[in-house]
Amino acid sequence: MLIRLLVVSLAMLAVTPAQPQTKLDIPVIYLRQEVPAPPVLSNLDPIPEDRGIAGAELGLTDNLTTGRFMGHDYTLDVITVPQDGDLRGAAVDALGRSRLIIVDAPADDLLMIADLPAADGALIFNAAAPEPLLRGAECRANVFHSLPSLAMRTDALMQFLQKRRWDDLVMVAGTRPADSAYAEALAASATKFGLTVRDRKDWAFDADMRRNASQEVPLFTQDFGTYDVLLIADETRDFGRYLAYNTWEARPVAGSEGLEPVTWAPVVEQWGAAQLQNRFRDQAERAMTGRDYAAWAAMRAIGEAVTRTTASDAATLRDFMLSDQFELAGFKGRPLSFRTWNGQLRQPIPLVTRAALVAQAPLEGFLHPVTELDTLGADAPETDCTAFTD
Amino acid sequence: MKTTLAALLATCAALPALAAGEIWVTNEKDDTVSVIDVETLEVVRTLPTGERPRGITFSKDFSKLYICASDSDTVQVMDPETGDILYDLPSGEDPEQFVLHPDDRHLYIANEDDAITTVVDTETRQVVAQIDVGIEPEGMAVNDAGTVAITTSETTNMAHWIDTETQELFANTLVDSRPRHAEFTKDDSELWVSAEIGGTISVFETDGQTEIAKIEFEIDGMHPDRVQPVGFEFTDDQKTAFVALGPSNHIAVVNADTYEVEDYILVGRRVWHMAFSPDKSLLFTTNGVSGDVTVIDVANREAIKSIKVGRFPWGAAMRPTTSG
């Protein structure tokens, strides 16, 4: 595919496009820190080997197509660091070769990279770490976030529950750090939208729930009493899938299972999304995940900024991305743009089941003086981020 | 409402200018076309098509109807009298939108999934050329002189200018995000391109392909993000353009001389494309989400009726009829 495009690009240049051409090379590096995947009960949803990478590769293809009419040549170099590898060394090397880096690594590693002397003045895209802290007190001027924060996703869910007036909530949370972080985000968003998480239980079973969920879960959920919705915080997709239809009360589940607020999902097909899904499936031979979307969006944000500025240096691109000139068509029905106070890509959040898109936040009725997209996640007046103010 | 309609019909009846005709609408999620009678404003026929019909246009003498059956990967040719599919044309994969060259013979087709524009000879039923364009080509236009064809590509955000002699690109111009539709003005001096996510229409001078104006839209109480220009049509005198604004559920009325928006008309939900009645007194808009067609009184710039059609109406084309 790539080779075909490059051949086409040469042919195309021969026919004198009238768009004024400025020859530019835009090397982008995708830097991934491998992390151990914790064991889960079900074998149904393996994590794709190339999660994230395939999204960046599609973004590259998209950028090259526009680039061939402009004389802009994009490259993508993927560097994967094994679990015990030298991420610092790899990052220094990458920053020596390109000032545009997409990072697929946990929050601590991301900050380590961003704080390297070599990263000063570079433009780093966080396409994998959802922690609100990275967009708040621990934000960095050289880090933009194409992945929505946890808060954006949980705010989206709470808007929906609020709108349906399902305001009496209970929660089952896993005990892994990602589960706790998601549980905290759910609780904070519930408070923000005036809902109550009345009770919370930790999931500490070590039996195989594939066999005995129907015996255990009704009893486990019986003492919640009556409620509207059971929230599930299970970010590794370990146990959540066994709760639906096994609860004591006949109530829906939401959060990590049931109705999920996500970055992206195969069920998103409106707003031309079907085309993006098809292109991704053709190229990667699997469905597009949220991480793929975030990496694709980072790559496309770079492409869009290069196309509009005909520049390739990180400083010019950063300025343009933070200006009101920048808008990215992200197949979510509205133009996407970066928040000037923390570099977060503002974007709608689909609320999905495995079979359908249920709604897309921001929902109608949640108003904002600037853009309703900023009803999701930390807004300008409440941000703890100061790195973007100078 | 009823009285308005009655009054309107009475007015129309009094005017000899009202030519009989039909509006043909493709229903993207029903695999049908709905045929609306312009006089009665009712659906008189519903005809089956291939899968996911979108673009729709008639031959010059209205004896043939061309339909982009996107998911069938073909352009179907229908006899509008009988509703029979006569034959399929090779179209390239996933044809979304097309335009018939003034020679009444060549169709320029946007192949959305393949980043290609396909040129088909409708007489020999052969593909004449395939032209590589940007990602997700959609909007198609040919100038009146027949010398220049345009493809807009939604993800590449460009209008690609095709020399119809050589079938090669001779220019590529950037527009705002997600360009959807393109039209030349009748004298070929200007090209208009709508950008759905950019929320604008770019106006180009065709000589030199320079942008001379950018039209923006603003609806009270509606966030600019939701004001998404897609299909548009010019009136016969070229003084006015009617622009569908997608999920803002409005049609904008644009002064084509000053590029100023003069009016907004509330229509159905997610308005896509439109077609005029034969005498241009009525405008029919396809409203994808609400599954209906809004009829606009062009002179008074107001919606007068909604007509239920199939699921997700998309394209629209007019056919004059002799009866009535």
Side-chain angles (χ1 to χ4, degrees), chain A residues 95-362:
Chain A
L95 287 159
R97 289 192 281 136
S98 170
R99 309 306 285 162
L100 302 169
I101 315 279
I102 300 171
V103 174
D104 175 352
D108 290 349
D109 291 333
L110 175 74
L111 289 179
M112 182 274 287
I113 295 166
D115 291 339
L116 288 170
D120 191 31
L123 190 48
I124 294 168
F125 290 87
N126 166 26
E131 286 80 356
L133 195 64
L134 294 171
R135 288 88 170 155
E138 290 294 328
C139 72
R140 299 291 186 271
N142 57 355
V143 179
F144 282 28
H145 310 270
S146 56
L147 189 76
S149 67
L150 279 182
M152 289 166 70
R153 284 168 46 213
T154 53
D155 280 357
L157 177 60
M158 293 305 160
Q159 282 193 357
F160 181 83
L161 299 181
Q162 215 274 350
K163 187 151 191 181
R164 302 304 310 273
R165 302 192 181 180
W166 296 341
D167 50 9
D168 184 10
L169 310 173
V170 295
M171 174 152 59
V172 174
T175 51
R176 290 172 176 148
D179 302 337
S180 309
Y182 191 60
E184 273 169 40
L186 283 168
S189 294
T191 307
K192 176 174 172 179
F193 290 98
L195 311 177
T196 318
V197 182
R198 182 166 47 74
D199 200 357
R200 169 177 164 171
K201 296 179 93 171
D202 287 335
W203 182 268
F205 287 90
D206 49 13
D208 186 347
M209 280 298 137
R210 287 178 296 180
R211 290 172 188 277
N212 53 13
S214 61
Q215 287 102 51
E216 300 290 352
V217 175
L219 295 175
F220 181 68
T221 53
Q222 186 177 11
D223 53 3
F224 279 137
T226 57
Y227 58 89
D228 291 328
V229 175
L230 171 63
L231 301 175
I232 299 172
D234 173 33
E235 284 297 86
T236 49
R237 291 192 167 277
D238 183 18
F239 62 89
R241 68 180 74 219
Y242 304 111
L243 267 59
Y245 299 101
N246 279 321
T247 51
W248 183 263
E249 289 284 327
R251 292 289 181 273
V253 298
S256 302
E257 200 59 50
L259 182 66
E260 298 178 59
V262 295
T263 308
W264 189 252
V267 297
V268 178
E269 54 179 358
Q270 278 189 32
W271 314 112
Q275 274 83 254
L276 181 65
Q277 305 275 23
N278 287 344
R279 285 209 306 282
F280 185 88
R281 207 176 281 276
D282 286 350
Q283 191 163 320
E285 298 180 332
R286 61 174 177 80
M288 191 174 192
T289 68
R291 291 279 197 87
D292 296 312
Y293 181 88
W296 172 85
M299 202 65 193
R300 283 291 300 125
I302 293 169
E304 187 64 22
V306 169
T307 301
R308 301 291 171 184
T309 59
T310 58
S312 61
D313 65 288
T316 307
L317 299 181
R318 183 181 184 279
D319 285 351
F320 181 76
M321 286 183 199
L322 289 176
S323 76
D324 55 11
Q325 303 281 302
F326 178 86
E327 55 184 18
L328 182 65
F331 301 92
K332 288 187 170 188
R334 286 169 173 230
L336 314 185
S337 52
F338 287 99
R339 291 180 176 150
T340 54
W341 57 92
N342 65 0
Q344 170 69 53
L345 186 67
R346 53 166 74 87
Q347 55 192 294
I349 300 292
L351 292 153
V352 303
T353 66
R354 300 219 175 186
L357 178 78
V358 176
Q360 183 162 285

Side-chain angles (χ1 to χ4, degrees), chain B residues 17-23 36-39 62 236 275-284 317-322:
Chain B
L18 182 82
E22 296 166 341
I23 303 296
I36 296 167
D37 185 291
V38 166
E39 283 187 355
F62 299 97
D236 252 1
F276 283 104
S277 61
D279 65 355
K280 306 269 179 174
S281 66
L282 300 175
L283 181 66
F284 297 76
M318 182 277 293
R319 182 175 91 116
T321 51
T322 43

Side-chain angles (χ1 to χ4, degrees), chain B residues 107-128:
Chain B
L107 277 175
Y108 282 73
I109 304 167
N111 298 119
E112 188 172 30
D113 274 0
D114 270 4
I116 281 172
T117 296
T118 298
V119 188
V120 173
D121 183 332
T122 58
E123 284 179 23
T124 64
R125 304 181 198 171
Q126 301 284 321
V127 172
V128 176

Side-chain angles (χ1 to χ4, degrees), chain B residues 171-207:
Chain B
N172 303 285
T173 45
L174 271 178
V175 293
D176 285 337
S177 285
R178 244 181 130 63
R180 280 286 197 168
H181 191 79
E183 292 274 343
F184 285 93
T185 52
K186 211 163 214 166
D187 61 3
D188 287 348
S189 65
E190 293 176 5
L191 173 75
W192 291 35
V193 179
S194 64
E196 181 182 31
I197 291 292
T200 57
I201 285 184
S202 291
V203 180
F204 291 93
E205 206 166 48
T206 44
D207 294 337

Side-chain angles (χ1 to χ4, degrees), chain B residues 4 8 11-12 15 18 23 38 41 233-243 251-254 262-265 267 274-285 294-305:
Chain B
T4 328
L8 179 90
T11 328
C12 292
L15 295 168
L18 182 82
I23 303 296
V38 166
L41 301 183
E233 293 290 332
F234 292 104
T235 52
D236 252 1
D237 61 10
Q238 295 287 300
K239 285 192 180 354
T240 311
F242 286 82
V243 182
I251 294 276
V253 185
V254 178
E262 295 178 341
D263 229 330
Y264 292 98
I265 304 165
V267 294
M274 64 195 76
F276 283 104
S277 61
D279 65 355
K280 306 269 179 174
S281 66
L282 300 175
L283 181 66
F284 297 76
T285 70
T294 301
V295 186
I296 291 172
D297 173 354
V298 172
N300 292 320
R301 297 181 178 177
E302 61 180 17
I304 55 170
K305 191 182 178 184

Side-chain angles (χ1 to χ4, degrees), chain A residues 269-275, chain B residues 25-34 47 49-56 67-72 94-96 112 138 154 180 270-273 286-289 291-292 309-316:
Chain A
E269 54 179 358
Q270 278 189 32
W271 314 112
Q275 274 83 254
Chain B
V25 173
T26 49
N27 299 308
E28 186 179 342
K29 295 284 179 193
D30 260 356
D31 300 349
T32 57
V33 289
S34 300
L47 304 165
T49 66
E51 289 174 40
R52 203 176 179 199
R54 289 192 279 181
I56 180 169
I67 303 162
C68 283
S70 300
D71 285 357
S72 300
D94 195 26
E96 172 161 8
E112 188 172 30
E138 167 145 347
E154 287 173 30
R180 280 286 197 168
R270 199 162 190 206
V271 55
W272 276 113
H273 288 284
T286 56
N287 312 316
V289 171
D292 53 20
V309 288
R311 291 198 298 177
F312 226 78
W314 199 90

